Amino acid sequence: KAGVTQTPRYLIKTRGQQVTLSCSPISGHRSVSWYQQTPGQGLQFLFEYFSETQRNKGNFPGRFSGRQFSNSRSEMNVSTLELGDSALYLCASSLAGTSNTEAFFGQGTRLTVV
Amino acid sequence: DAKTTQPNSMESNEEEPVHLPCNHSTISGTDYIHWYRQLPSQGPEYVIHGLTSNVNNRMASLAIAEDRKSSTLILHRATLRDAAVYYCILTPRGSGGSNYKLTFGKGTLLTVNP
């Protein structure tokens, strides 16, 4: 079955702009999580959605937001981009988002802010 | 969240077994132990998870100490493709909903020599 698909794979944006990233989870999976990966901070949890509801949020400013659609596809948005937002953004899907299930990650979207 | 401690790096030779340790002395009785790995330029990949008993799957084995304060991921015959950063992560049992997330540390960088 198809894996987790993230689009686009690469993105270059200018400081102050906004950006929307997309994630299509594995068919049947209802939980979608987003992570930011930078060389300095490693992998950090952004938020998790389940059945169109945000259930958990990490310690990121309100410029980072997301949503999930009825087909479980998810988008994350970053407004007023800063240079420090340059990172690899990863999406993970799991069947139900519980401690006893595995998460499947996409290849990520590499965002560069100039 | 309970914390895990892993060596920064380890080296192995191809076709030899690899034992990757993880200390989690503050683990609670209901925390699951998960292992993920991240190959260069890819998203993390699920390897294995367990609660109390040792676990085996096609990729690896997970040996959990009797007191659960440590665990070891075992790759039975390392290949060049196993060179990656390996993350040991704890997830509270029954967590789902508002507290579901994966908390990544710095992991162990495994180098496999031909």
Side-chain angles (χ1 to χ4, degrees):
Chain A
K1 68 183 167 183
V4 178
T5 304
Q6 291 189 246
T7 55
R9 290 292 311 280
Y10 302 92
L11 208 47
I12 299 176
K13 288 287 189 179
T14 303
R15 194 170 45 180
Q17 287 187 312
Q18 75 163 17
V19 67
T20 300
L21 313 181
S22 179
C23 172
S24 293
I26 291 171
S27 177
H29 285 194
R30 297 168 68 188
S31 167
V32 173
S33 301
W34 289 88
Y35 294 82
Q36 181 197 64
Q37 185 170 29
T38 60
Q41 299 297 317
L43 274 151
Q44 293 186 285
F45 171 76
L46 279 157
F47 28 65
E48 188 251 357
Y49 285 86
F50 181 85
S51 292
E52 301 180 67
T53 300
Q54 185 184 90
R55 298 195 300 186
N56 196 5
K57 191 177 191 318
N59 294 325
F60 279 83
R63 301 184 296 106
F64 292 81
S65 63
R67 59 178 175 167
Q68 186 181 34
F69 302 96
S70 57
N71 61 357
S72 292
R73 190 177 71 84
S74 177
E75 289 180 347
M76 70 162 279
N77 185 78
V78 188
S79 63
T80 320
L81 284 165
E82 301 177 0
L83 296 179
D85 296 333
S86 295
L88 179 66
Y89 290 89
L90 291 155
C91 159
S93 83
S94 72
L95 205 54
T98 60
S99 57
N100 193 25
T101 57
E102 60 205 80
F104 296 84
F105 284 79
Q107 298 265 50
T109 294
R110 171 76 60 186
L111 172 66
T112 302
V113 182
V114 297
Chain B
D1 293 342
K3 190 174 163 52
T4 63
T5 304
Q6 299 177 253
N8 290 333
S9 62
M10 289 185 66
E11 232 176 286
S12 171
N13 295 319
E14 206 175 3
E15 297 190 7
E16 290 184 356
V18 182
H19 290 232
L20 295 162
C22 180
N23 284 316
H24 28 79
S25 58
T26 59
I27 191 171
S28 83
T30 54
D31 286 344
Y32 280 93
I33 302 161
H34 289 249
W35 283 82
Y36 284 78
R37 71 181 186 180
Q38 188 172 22
L39 280 65
S41 303
Q42 294 192 28
E45 174 186 33
Y46 167 82
V47 178
I48 200 166
H49 77 279
L51 185 62
T52 55
S53 305
N54 294 343
V55 185
N56 300 297
N57 66 20
R58 63 173 181 81
M59 286 181 70
S61 295
L62 176 60
I64 301 172
E66 201 169 324
D67 63 6
R68 299 207 334 122
K69 294 185 185 301
S70 66
S71 61
T72 302
L73 178 70
I74 302 166
L75 306 179
H76 296 285
R77 285 184 69 205
T79 68
L80 296 178
R81 197 195 168 277
D82 291 321
V85 178
Y86 286 78
Y87 299 97
C88 170
I89 299 168
L90 304 181
T91 60
R93 183 179 187 178
S95 71
S98 63
N99 61 349
Y100 174 72
K101 66 180 178 182
L102 297 174
T103 301
F104 289 84
K106 295 195 182 306
T108 297
L109 174 63
L110 175 66
T111 301
V112 180
N113 300 313

